[in-house]
Each structure stands twice: as C-alpha cells, then as structure tokens.
Amino acid sequence: MFDKFIQFEIVTPKRVVLKDEILQITLPTRAGEITVLPNHIPLVSSLVPGVVHVKKKNGEDEVISISGGFLEVLKDKVVILADTAERAEEIDLARAEEGRRRAEELKQQARAGERVNFAEINAALERELARTKAVKRWRKLKNLE
Amino acid sequence: MANTRDIKKRIKSIGNTKKITRAMEMVSAAKMRKAIEAVLRTRSYANLSWATVLNLARANGQDGRPPHPLLDAVSAGSAQAKRGGVKKVAVVLITSNRGLCGGFNSVIIKKVLESIRKHSEPHPNPLLRKEREQAGGVSHEFILLGKKGQAVYKNFNFPVTADFPKLDYINEVGEVIPVARMIIKDYLSGQYDKVMVAYTDFINAAKQLPRVKQLLPIDITTADEYLGVVGQDPRLGLNKELIEEKEKKHLQSGQFKYEYIFEPSPEEVLNEMLPRLIEIQLFQALLESNASEQSARRLAMHQATEAATDMAGELTLSYNKARQAGVTSEIAEISAGANALAE
C-alpha cells in the first residue's frame, strides 16, 4: 500500500530516542502543528514543547513528548534535534502529573515573589505539560482507558 | 643494615598506599566507563546538529542578506573585519577539579601556552605578518572550567575573566549554558574577536590528545576543527584525505540539492540554532575532557599501584636479609658462647 517511507531520527544530547522508517509524522513547530509526509520539500523549523506523533512503517503509532528543538526535513529524511524527548510508553503518567503540579506551584511562587528564572520555570511547566499530553494521547491510541 | 622493625613499618605503610591507589584505580575505571558512554551518546546529536548548521549556513547569506553574526568569519561586514583583525581572544580552558591524574592538566595547559606563543610570534607569511603587526598583537583571556585551570593565572599570569565551577558528573547540557551564553554575549558585544576552547580529546583509554579549537566565529570552512563530526573521528581510523573528500562532496551536494524552507525565517532559526550548537560543542568538549581525565587518572593510579608493588618487593627482600643477618649473628653469638663454656 505504501511504497514511500521517511528515514526518521530523533536525537537528544543524551541519546538517540528513536530511529526508524516511518510513513508520516505530526509535530508542533513554532508556526503551528504540521504533518510531514514522504516527498516533503526540504524544511528547517524550530519546534515548541509538545507531542510528536509518528506512524511507523509497520503501522504502529509512536507518541513522543519533546521540549523544544529543531526539525530538519530533507528528501525522504526527517531529523529532530530535541532538547529532551521521551517516548510516551516510557513516561509514567502519575509522575508526569506530579511533575506538572510541581511546576505549576513553582510558577505560582515565582509570580508572587521575585521573577528570577521565570522563563526556566515556564519551560519546565511546558515540558511537563507535553509529557502528560503525550501519555494521554498514547493511552487513548492504545485504548488503555 | 637497617632495623628490621623500621623496614616492617615501611612495608606496611607502602601496602596501605597501594590499597588506596588500587581503590582509586578501580573507582576511576568505573567513572571512565560512564564518561565514555556519555561521550558516545552525545556524538550523534553533535553530528546531526553540525550537519544541519552546515546546510543552513549555505542557505543563509546567499540572497544578498548579510550572514549571521555568529557565522561570519571573514566577510567585509564581519565583526573581525570591522575591528581590523583578531585582537582579543578568549580561551575556554577545561581542566580537572582534582589532581592525581598524571600529566592531564599540565599537558593541556602546555598546549594552550604553545598555541598562544605560536600566534604571538611573527607570522612566517610576510603578508600575514604585516597584518598582525598592524593589529598590534593579540591578547588572551581565560575562562576556566575546572579548578586546576587556575594555574594559568598563578604560574603564567594570564588574566582570568571567569571561573566556572565544574561538577564531577556532567550529564545535562544545562550545565554549560551559562558559559555558552557568556561567550556568545561577549563575542557579539565585541569584547572578543575569537573564542577558543581547550580540552583533552578522548581517543582511547590509553591515549588522550590536548586540543585547542575555535568556537566562535563558527567557521564552516574548516569543519575538521569541530567536535565529533561524522567521518572526522580519529577513533574510526579514517584517513584525512577520505575525510576531506567526503566534506567536499557534502558541500557540493548541499549547494545543489537542497532549497530549504525556513519556518519562521532563516534568521530566527539560526538565532536559535547557533547558540545551541555552541552549547552542544562545549558540552561535548566537557564530556571528552571528563572521559580523558578519568582514563588519565586510572593510568596514573595503575602505575602508582605497580610502583608500590615493586617497592614493597624490594623492601621485603631487604627485610628478609636483615632478619637473616640477625639470625646468623645470634647463632654465631650462641655458638661462640657454647664454645667458651666447653673450653
């Protein structure tokens, strides 16, 4: 049915998160969410924290949360340079929720008090949000709930 | 002949030292393994980001717009050209926090001083020599990562602009962000014309090489100066010609094959990406340096353990000799006494 694949790779400074042949990928860029299909025109874009949704060659879905990074689309090749990335199956929902709650608390405190590293707290919050979102979407896909 | 008790004491103390050095050897061997893993994990990110920047850099500055300030090394409008050559250089020096790692720190510091001396001497090429004389010499400032780097100030009197604390375990890129931000800011504000990083490249457990590399401006024409670039890795045992050819091919294919779309715009993407590249390169330099430090320490401690074993062996020999001498003289005395009684 599909004879076109994309060589896909998502790496963080710490590891290669996923490297596979895929059919399509949906990701959150600065200008909005986009989907890349085979034969996409070369594109470079910066990514915002959010959920990356990948359809693999074998028909399986993969959901990955990222906290910003870059996207490079070449002919038949997609590379994501993520700051951090986690596959949804690796994320523990309870802990992700907990992390989000903590980040929100921190934000409240920061708002009340001094505004030292507000940007960092905000980034952490966005990252945690992306993680929870990724797990939820993953569970929905797998009909876990 | 020394007193047997004194010798015994020394043997014991050497034995204790040996235990310590052996323990340190084991510890650094374990740390080394971890550090090497970290280096290898970061490499693919470094490679890919470098490849992307190469592609981007070519797209940038082609349509008449000036190239990005961090990328620009030589063009007429560049910061360097405006200031009339390189006058102030910042060196990010990565050393260890602790000693007992053989020549690790002295080797890298020596390398840095050598390279400074080389750049301060009159250039062999007369044209460039004139240029350098007109520029009025180069001054160097240091940014330290690791406690032992303070030697550049203490022993050689170079000015130190900043001394960043270095953690023993580095696993987050976040730890180099303050350094990266500082050098980028100072470079753009014109405080420095060039930023170098000096670190120890990890080649294998027995071999580490001190390196001095240019961080800023990002120079896409000399890619082999960069960390962990595909095919540039001495660990893979590739020869230089092969690498150069590959690089050339890459440059050509990059020029003709890809017409990029940038979202939101080339400037914005580069604005975000180039600082990231600097961070990742610093990060990798730090990891390489860490792996090298641990292997240097493991080797030093291994040698210390061996030296202790040799020493203990020698002392045991002289202890046995002394003991035997004592026994012999006692027997001689006893037999002399017996002879005297018998007479």
Side-chain angles (χ1 to χ4, degrees):
Chain A
M1 183 165 75
F2 302 105
D3 52 350
K4 281 275 183 187
F5 304 118
I6 309 173
Q7 300 289 331
F8 173 64
E9 204 170 336
I10 175 165
V11 293
T12 70
K14 275 170 140 181
R15 61 185 177 144
V16 178
V17 180
L18 182 68
K19 190 176 181 180
D20 210 342
E21 290 191 324
I22 59 162
L23 299 168
Q24 71 165 63
I25 175 168
T26 306
L27 26 75
T29 72
R30 182 135 299 181
E33 194 165 73
I34 62 162
T35 296
V36 177
L37 294 166
N39 286 330
H40 196 283
I41 191 167
L43 165 81
V44 174
S45 178
S46 54
L47 301 173
V48 292
V51 181
V52 176
H53 191 153
V54 178
K55 259 195 188 4
K56 286 205 273 197
K57 195 171 82 171
N58 55 14
E60 279 177 24
D61 285 276
E62 188 84 50
V63 180
I64 303 164
S65 87
I66 60 165
S67 65
F70 301 96
L71 163 77
E72 191 187 18
V73 181
L74 300 169
K75 199 174 177 288
D76 302 327
K77 193 170 187 225
V78 172
V79 177
I80 295 181
L81 302 166
D83 299 344
T84 64
E86 269 175 295
R87 291 163 70 179
E89 16 175 41
E90 293 167 357
I91 305 174
D92 180 354
L93 181 61
R95 283 182 63 188
E97 293 269 18
E98 167 70 20
R100 197 188 69 183
R101 215 177 39 70
R102 238 191 345 254
E104 265 164 8
E105 255 170 41
L106 268 175
K107 196 176 171 181
Q108 290 297 331
Q109 282 170 13
R111 209 171 260 156
E114 75 281 34
R115 46 176 203 84
V116 217
N117 33 17
F118 194 70
E120 269 156 43
I121 294 171
N122 226 0
L125 180 61
E126 276 181 7
R127 186 174 64 233
E128 297 298 341
L129 252 162
R131 289 179 75 205
T132 2
K133 249 197 248 165
V135 187
K136 283 187 174 156
R137 185 164 323 165
W138 173 250
R139 293 205 162 183
K140 214 171 166 188
L141 271 173
K142 293 281 156 186
N143 287 321
L144 287 173
E145 269 168 17
Chain B
M1 192 79 34
N3 189 345
T4 49
R5 213 177 52 200
D6 287 348
I7 298 178
K8 217 171 178 182
K9 242 190 217 162
R10 280 202 67 196
I11 292 177
K12 205 166 171 218
S13 98
I14 284 168
N16 287 339
T17 312
K18 193 172 136 187
K19 267 185 207 158
I20 294 169
T21 54
R22 174 155 294 155
M24 285 172 87
E25 184 192 337
M26 307 258 206
V27 169
S28 46
K31 281 187 181 168
M32 182 181 89
R33 221 168 296 130
K34 262 187 221 156
I36 293 170
E37 265 170 35
V39 171
L40 295 179
R41 276 201 304 263
T42 314
R43 197 157 289 145
S44 60
Y45 187 98
N47 287 344
L48 285 170
S49 63
W50 177 244
T52 308
V53 167
L54 271 184
N55 289 334
L56 282 179
R58 270 183 292 280
N60 186 243
Q62 268 176 1
D63 43 2
R65 278 177 301 203
H68 193 277
L70 289 180
L71 276 173
D72 199 7
V74 282
S75 85
S78 78
Q80 258 183 44
K82 271 184 212 149
R83 267 168 285 173
V86 178
K87 281 187 180 169
K88 277 191 105 177
V89 178
V91 182
V92 181
L93 178 64
I94 303 176
T95 54
S96 73
N97 279 337
R98 283 161 231 269
L100 288 182
C101 45
F104 177 77
N105 291 310
S106 57
V107 165
I108 181 72
I109 289 171
K110 213 167 124 196
K111 171 90 180 173
V112 171
L113 294 178
E114 238 168 53
S115 107
I116 287 176
R117 207 171 302 131
K118 205 173 79 193
H119 286 285
S120 313
E121 273 168 13
H123 201 279
N125 180 341
L127 223 127
L128 288 172
R129 190 190 303 156
K130 204 172 160 204
E131 201 175 89
R132 192 172 281 170
E133 274 161 14
Q134 276 170 353
V138 189
S139 70
H140 292 80
E141 273 178 27
F142 278 87
I143 295 162
L144 304 180
L145 263 168
K147 281 183 197 149
K148 295 285 166 181
Q150 284 159 2
V152 289
Y153 169 71
K154 278 188 204 144
N155 303 347
F156 304 99
N157 254 329
F158 279 102
V160 171
T161 338
D163 186 353
F164 288 93
K166 190 181 93 165
L167 294 183
D168 286 339
Y169 284 109
I170 297 131
N171 51 10
E172 289 287 346
V173 193
E175 278 150 31
V176 297
I177 288 179
V179 189
R181 278 201 191 135
M182 190 185 115
I183 59 173
I184 291 169
K185 199 187 91 217
D186 287 350
Y187 176 75
L188 288 178
S189 73
Q191 198 174 340
Y192 305 123
D193 305 317
K194 209 183 208 181
V195 181
M196 313 290 282
V197 57
Y199 69 103
T200 315
D201 201 5
F202 177 83
I203 289 166
N204 57 42
K207 197 175 179 199
Q208 296 92 37
L209 269 184
R211 293 235 163 114
V212 182
K213 283 180 177 173
Q214 182 173 334
L215 261 189
L216 281 172
I218 299 167
D219 189 357
I220 53 163
T221 52
T222 53
D224 59 332
E225 289 285 308
Y226 272 87
L227 309 154
V229 175
V230 184
Q232 314 280 350
D233 202 325
R235 269 146 289 201
L236 301 175
L238 293 172
N239 63 22
K240 201 156 186 260
E241 287 82 42
L242 200 84
I243 292 164
E244 275 166 2
E245 199 172 312
K246 203 172 160 192
E247 189 66 27
K248 220 191 267 169
K249 245 190 217 157
H250 181 73
L251 287 170
Q252 278 174 353
S253 68
Q255 257 162 2
F256 301 124
K257 231 196 267 166
Y258 302 127
E259 266 302 311
Y260 277 98
I261 303 179
F262 290 96
E263 269 182 16
S265 70
E267 285 76 23
E268 275 175 70
V269 174
L270 278 177
N271 273 344
E272 277 190 45
M273 199 151 196
L274 294 179
R276 195 86 194 130
L277 184 78
I278 300 293
E279 278 163 26
I280 206 72
Q281 297 209 319
L282 266 180
F283 183 56
Q284 180 140 19
L286 207 55
L287 289 178
E288 298 269 359
S289 185
N290 246 22
S292 304
E293 178 194 335
Q294 296 305 342
S295 358
R297 177 165 299 128
R298 197 193 69 88
L299 199 70
M301 288 302 111
H302 183 74
Q303 279 161 356
T305 311
E306 267 180 8
T309 312
D310 288 353
M311 223 166 164
E314 271 168 34
L315 280 174
T316 311
L317 187 69
S318 46
Y319 168 73
N320 286 341
K321 273 184 187 162
R323 187 179 54 87
Q324 190 57 52
V327 171
T328 315
S329 69
E330 250 175 61
I331 288 174
E333 273 165 29
I334 290 168
S335 61
N339 282 346
L341 280 179
E343 271 164 19

